[in-house]
Amino acid sequence: MITQKIIKLAYIVLKTLNLKPIIVISLVLAFSLSCSLKNDNIANDIKWARYFDEIGVPNINLKNHVILVLNSVECAPAIEELLWWDKKSENVNVKMVIISKYQNEFQSVLQTNKLTIESYRDSIGEIYNHDLISTTPAKVFINSEGKIHSIRPIGEELNTQALKEFLQKPD
Amino acid sequence: MVSLLKKLLPFNFNKGSSFIFILIIFIGCGSEQKQPQENIENFELIHLNSFSITPPDSVIFGRFSGRAVVNNSGDRIAFYDQVKQNMIVSDTLGNVIYIIGSKGRGPDEFENIFSYNFDEHDNLIVYDTNLQLFKIFDKNGEYLKSFSAEGERREHYIVDSILYPSEGYIYMGAIDINLVPFRDDTKPFWESYLLVKYDYEGNLLGHLAQYDNDLSKRRYYSYTPVFYLDGTKNRLFSTHMHYYGIQEFDLEQDSLISKFGAISDNYNIVNESNVDYIKLMNKEKRREFSTKQTYSMSLHASDEYIFVELQNLQLSWYNAFEKTFKDYYLTVYDRETKQFLSEISLPYMLTTMHNNTVFLIENDNPENYQIGIYSVENIKS
């Protein structure tokens, strides 16, 4: 409502000052600006969905998800945290991406650690080309609107706290 | 240039003085960066054989560490599977002799394997850094014993991934805990001992050798030591990950015998005066910087030669940690004269050496892990 009133007021001022060309230019500028903002603000889950598409997982819905990203060899605390997420995955939407050149290597990570989380393989580190994370192991919280809530390292903090924050303040 | 100098300098400028002036400029530039050493002799890699390690039925391999070790007689190799936390010992035809270990804290289990090697009796000694335990397995892979490493994380940190057993002792790369430059780079780590010596009960028997004090002049370095221990001749050769200099120690006397080393054609050394250290806080800058310096990764010696394995990173390596995005070289020195002889380009990553034989990882797919065996030969022209 307030925005509409401001726009109306601005229109009246500009009209009385006979500044039609400026109105046109302002509108064009505002439109182009909103477009560019829209592009920058492209829903993060769409960026991630594009990435998943590239690694061979089309049409994925990532809203309200936790995505775990790791290499096939990670430190012991990170593996411990994965086991924690494995248990949580019954009640929370968790997906895992393992950057692993070979299928055997990928299978071996799941088998050795007895992980049952829905997992996908990124064979060439495509995630870095999409600029989605800066390093591994990382966990990404995507809220119900598809926006990134937070990106945190795996194995360096209390997970319960991170998950609580995510669930309490999904925005 | 000479006419310009004539105008600028407050003294009479003749041909002689201009020559001396220009000479000074050239000497000044030259002292900043050593010139690469040209190859003196021609060495070539001669392919002898290749083999794949075939997993026994129902076993799948995970991911092999780039570091393998060969026993004294050169007929068996131990590989470390980093995903499965086990050791695979095969012969040089690829037949698996035994596989030991899995994740856990039991006698024959591991949490995080860090160092390993064969002793003279083909026992495999493995050090687990999480458990801080040595574990010994006989030549059939049967568990023999385990013992803790006295002083680890109280007096010193163990720092190199290869341990060297010799005549009932185990030698490991280490750094004095009080000199670790972590969060305090003013600590003179180069004053630390380089090796710790254990017996087969885990008793700490002493500290040996020293880091290279040439590193005290450098601001940017990795203090990770790289070394090779020749137990039969009581010799230790050491270098550092970001340095080309090599030290030779007499282990019996615990004394430094010689220092040598050359910048070979493809050895990249950082000119420290041009480094903006603040910028290196940025990850991209740091990665870019890492491509401008060479990494000395391992050191080996035969009766005739000393070898240093070098790696140069390409920026794309950081995306997938893919071995093909590195360039590999082997520098060769005469063991007796210490003279630099040659730099050889390696077609694949080196995993280990035995005498003058190089073992290269030709295929790192765990389904068909393939090792090529090559001989390093001096081609007399």
Side-chain angles (χ1 to χ4, degrees):
Chain A
M1 283 295 279
I2 297 167
T3 324
Q4 277 178 347
K5 278 182 182 173
I6 293 170
I7 293 170
K8 231 177 187 176
L9 188 70
Y11 180 77
I12 292 164
V13 170
L14 290 169
K15 205 179 172 187
T16 47
L17 292 172
N18 196 16
L19 294 172
K20 272 183 188 169
I22 296 180
I23 297 172
V24 175
I25 291 166
S26 305
L27 285 174
V28 169
L29 264 176
F31 180 73
S32 61
L33 192 67
S34 70
C35 285
S36 69
L37 285 175
K38 211 172 186 179
N39 275 339
D40 284 344
N41 263 342
I42 191 166
N44 287 298
D45 64 330
I46 296 176
K47 279 188 183 177
W48 276 85
R50 279 181 191 161
Y51 161 65
F52 271 89
D53 189 46
E54 290 232 5
I55 61 169
V57 193
N59 308 322
I60 198 163
N61 178 7
L62 294 168
K63 288 190 170 87
N64 208 12
H65 264 75
V66 180
I67 305 171
L68 310 171
V69 187
L70 58 144
N71 277 306
S72 56
V73 177
E74 295 288 2
C75 61
I79 301 293
E80 256 176 56
E81 185 174 330
L82 293 183
L83 301 176
W84 188 90
W85 283 109
D86 200 62
K87 283 180 196 157
K88 286 282 165 208
S89 64
E90 287 170 14
N91 309 314
V92 183
N93 296 323
V94 184
K95 287 188 171 46
M96 183 160 71
V97 174
I98 303 175
I99 303 168
S100 175
K101 189 175 168 188
Y102 301 111
Q103 180 65 20
N104 261 25
E105 190 176 290
F106 170 76
Q107 286 297 344
S108 187
V109 175
L110 300 178
Q111 203 181 74
T112 306
N113 299 296
K114 300 184 178 72
L115 293 168
T116 55
I117 306 171
E118 192 177 327
S119 304
Y120 303 101
R121 181 167 71 99
D122 176 348
S123 61
I124 55 162
E126 187 65 44
I127 196 161
Y128 295 111
N129 295 335
H130 286 251
D131 218 12
L132 295 172
I133 56 160
S134 57
T135 189
T136 66
K139 53 179 176 262
V140 183
F141 295 88
I142 301 180
N143 68 14
S144 53
E145 289 175 5
K147 289 180 183 164
I148 303 287
H149 173 267
S150 56
I151 300 179
R152 301 186 181 208
I154 299 178
E156 285 181 21
E157 61 179 322
L158 292 170
N159 310 303
T160 327
Q161 185 59 27
L163 185 60
K164 261 186 191 170
E165 279 174 24
F166 174 58
L167 294 175
Q168 280 169 5
K169 290 198 311 183
D171 293 333
Chain B
M1 182 181 178
V2 172
S3 57
L4 182 71
L5 288 170
K6 271 182 185 174
K7 282 178 193 166
L8 291 174
L9 294 173
F11 53 82
N12 194 8
F13 203 86
N14 56 35
K15 275 183 184 171
S17 56
S18 68
F19 173 74
I20 291 166
F21 190 82
I22 289 164
L23 194 69
I24 289 167
I25 291 171
F26 276 102
I27 291 169
C29 296
S31 62
E32 231 175 20
Q33 187 75 55
K34 268 179 90 169
Q35 292 303 305
Q37 184 92 42
E38 281 182 20
N39 288 354
I40 291 170
E41 292 187 25
N42 290 326
F43 280 78
E44 270 184 19
L45 287 184
I46 309 293
H47 183 245
L48 302 176
N49 182 28
S50 291
F51 66 88
S52 296
I53 304 155
T54 320
D57 290 343
S58 77
V59 172
I60 60 165
F61 293 141
R63 176 173 172 160
F64 285 14
S65 153
R67 290 290 142 225
V69 288
V70 187
N71 67 344
N72 279 5
S73 46
D75 57 9
R76 48 171 73 188
I77 311 181
F79 300 93
Y80 164 36
D81 187 329
Q82 294 170 293
V83 172
K84 302 188 89 175
Q85 285 299 318
N86 61 20
M87 300 292 306
I88 297 119
V89 174
S90 82
D91 62 20
T92 50
L93 294 171
N95 303 305
V96 173
I97 301 169
Y98 62 80
I99 299 175
I100 50 160
S102 55
K103 275 198 169 181
R105 294 179 147 250
D108 57 354
E109 294 176 327
F110 302 104
E111 280 208 336
N112 189 11
I113 293 173
F114 184 68
S115 303
Y116 40 89
N117 212 339
F118 294 101
D119 70 8
E120 305 90 328
H121 310 291
D122 287 347
N123 297 319
L124 185 66
I125 302 174
V126 183
Y127 182 71
D128 186 313
T129 187
N130 278 22
L131 303 176
Q132 293 176 46
L133 283 176
F134 289 101
K135 297 193 175 191
I136 304 191
F137 301 85
D138 74 10
K139 63 178 180 183
N140 301 313
E142 294 296 322
Y143 168 80
L144 292 178
K145 65 196 287 194
S146 52
F147 46 87
S148 58
E150 186 187 353
E152 159 72 339
R153 297 191 198 171
R154 288 188 304 279
E155 292 177 34
H156 59 259
Y157 289 119
I158 285 167
V159 289
D160 189 57
S161 64
I162 307 286
L163 58 84
Y164 287 90
S166 176
E167 297 178 343
Y169 302 112
I170 301 166
Y171 298 88
M172 298 179 88
I175 186 164
D176 185 331
I177 205 163
N178 299 310
L179 296 171
V180 177
F182 181 61
R183 289 185 183 149
D184 178 7
D185 60 6
T186 60
K187 287 190 175 175
F189 74 92
W190 52 91
E191 290 174 8
S192 169
Y193 43 79
L194 190 63
L195 285 187
V196 283
K197 181 181 180 182
Y198 286 104
D199 63 15
Y200 274 34
E201 301 293 327
N203 297 309
L204 178 62
L205 301 179
H207 309 120
L208 295 161
Q210 201 183 331
Y211 283 69
D212 193 331
N213 59 17
D214 283 354
L215 295 179
S216 64
K217 296 164 199 154
R218 304 198 63 205
R219 278 186 66 200
Y220 185 85
Y221 43 72
S222 162
Y223 62 84
T224 306
V226 176
F227 64 93
Y228 176 84
L229 191 142
D230 182 347
T232 56
K233 292 178 180 162
N234 267 312
R235 288 288 182 273
L236 170 78
F237 296 98
S238 76
T239 184
H240 297 83
M241 195 174 267
H242 287 158
Y243 196 52
Y244 59 89
I246 301 167
Q247 300 187 109
E248 182 187 18
F249 291 91
D250 179 333
L251 282 181
E252 211 166 31
Q253 305 294 324
D254 190 16
S255 59
L256 179 67
I257 302 173
S258 64
K259 275 176 96 159
F260 55 99
I263 296 175
S264 52
D265 260 355
N266 288 290
Y267 191 98
N268 301 324
I269 189 159
V270 171
N271 185 344
E272 299 213 321
S273 55
N274 295 339
V275 179
D276 183 345
Y277 291 93
I278 305 295
K279 276 190 181 166
L280 294 184
M281 298 297 284
N282 175 294
K283 193 186 73 181
E284 295 304 319
K285 295 277 175 204
R286 206 163 53 243
R287 286 182 170 186
E288 197 187 318
F289 178 70
S290 73
T291 63
K292 291 176 180 158
Q293 62 184 341
T294 293
Y295 292 74
S296 301
M297 298 304 293
S298 66
L299 215 152
H300 308 268
S302 66
D303 287 342
E304 304 154 281
Y305 306 114
I306 297 153
F307 305 98
V308 186
E309 175 205 357
L310 307 176
Q311 291 185 7
N312 289 343
L313 295 183
Q314 297 164 24
L315 208 50
S316 36
W317 182 79
Y318 285 102
N319 288 351
F321 305 110
E322 164 61 50
K323 289 183 176 70
T324 50
F325 294 128
K326 285 184 181 181
D327 298 313
Y328 304 100
Y329 304 95
L330 191 69
T331 49
V332 189
Y333 295 86
D334 186 300
R335 179 161 173 165
E336 202 178 312
T337 64
K338 312 295 186 283
Q339 188 181 24
F340 169 81
L341 298 177
S342 189
E343 178 193 83
I344 311 165
S345 175
L346 302 175
Y348 306 100
M349 182 180 164
L350 183 151
T351 187
T352 189
M353 282 193 77
H354 180 258
N355 294 328
N356 294 334
T357 308
V358 186
F359 296 77
L360 304 181
I361 305 167
E362 291 180 332
N363 184 351
D364 67 350
N365 185 343
E367 221 171 331
N368 182 35
Y369 198 76
Q370 187 175 308
I371 299 294
I373 307 178
Y374 298 75
S375 168
V376 180
E377 300 205 357
N378 190 346
I379 311 297
K380 304 278 180 195
S381 49

